[in-house]
Amino acid sequence: MQKIRKEIIITTEELQKFVGTYAVEKDFEIKISLDKDQLFSQLTGQNVFPIFVESEMLFFYKVVDAQIQFEKNEKGEISNLFLLQNGNKIEAKRTK
């Protein structure tokens, strides 16, 4: 059974810091984009889906039971993310 997740609202400026391309491996990446005040995620070869804020660094999908957890580096910048789905934790490093 899928956990009921509660969406919170953060500013467009806050959302902007997550935008970028995150590489899982050479030809597989996760692109995070922003349109108006909504973040979107697209994995290589897949459709674009909106992601919703659950907490400062945790976002979730409504179309599948999956989350994206972002991490900051020592400078406080978003440096990588983890795709959490079906018990898997797939790391992707920010490339741009």
Side-chain angles (χ1 to χ4, degrees):
M1 188 165 121
Q2 185 172 340
K3 175 184 173 186
I4 296 174
R5 299 189 176 277
K6 187 163 176 82
E7 177 183 352
I8 63 170
I9 305 299
I10 62 174
T11 66
T12 303
E13 292 163 343
E14 285 291 309
L15 291 172
Q16 184 64 46
K17 69 183 179 184
F18 299 100
V19 172
T21 301
Y22 299 81
V24 177
E25 50 191 55
K26 184 176 180 248
D27 295 320
F28 183 59
E29 58 192 20
I30 301 170
K31 291 185 181 179
I32 304 296
S33 59
L34 179 64
D35 185 14
K36 297 184 177 70
D37 60 352
Q38 179 63 60
L39 272 186
F40 293 88
S41 169
Q42 183 177 26
L43 283 67
T44 301
Q46 296 188 18
N47 292 329
V48 177
F49 294 110
I51 55 174
F52 302 89
V53 185
E54 185 170 348
S55 65
E56 179 189 2
M57 301 298 278
L58 185 64
F59 292 70
F60 66 97
Y61 293 87
K62 292 184 178 178
V63 295
V64 294
D65 186 13
Q67 299 81 44
I68 290 181
Q69 180 178 356
F70 291 92
E71 284 195 342
K72 294 179 182 178
N73 62 20
E74 60 281 346
K75 296 177 186 173
E77 303 162 332
I78 304 298
S79 59
N80 60 310
L81 65 76
F82 293 94
L83 175 63
L84 310 169
Q85 186 174 18
N86 298 326
N88 296 316
K89 186 174 183 178
I90 301 167
E91 184 174 10
K93 301 257 185 220
R94 190 174 201 163
T95 60
K96 19 182 160 163

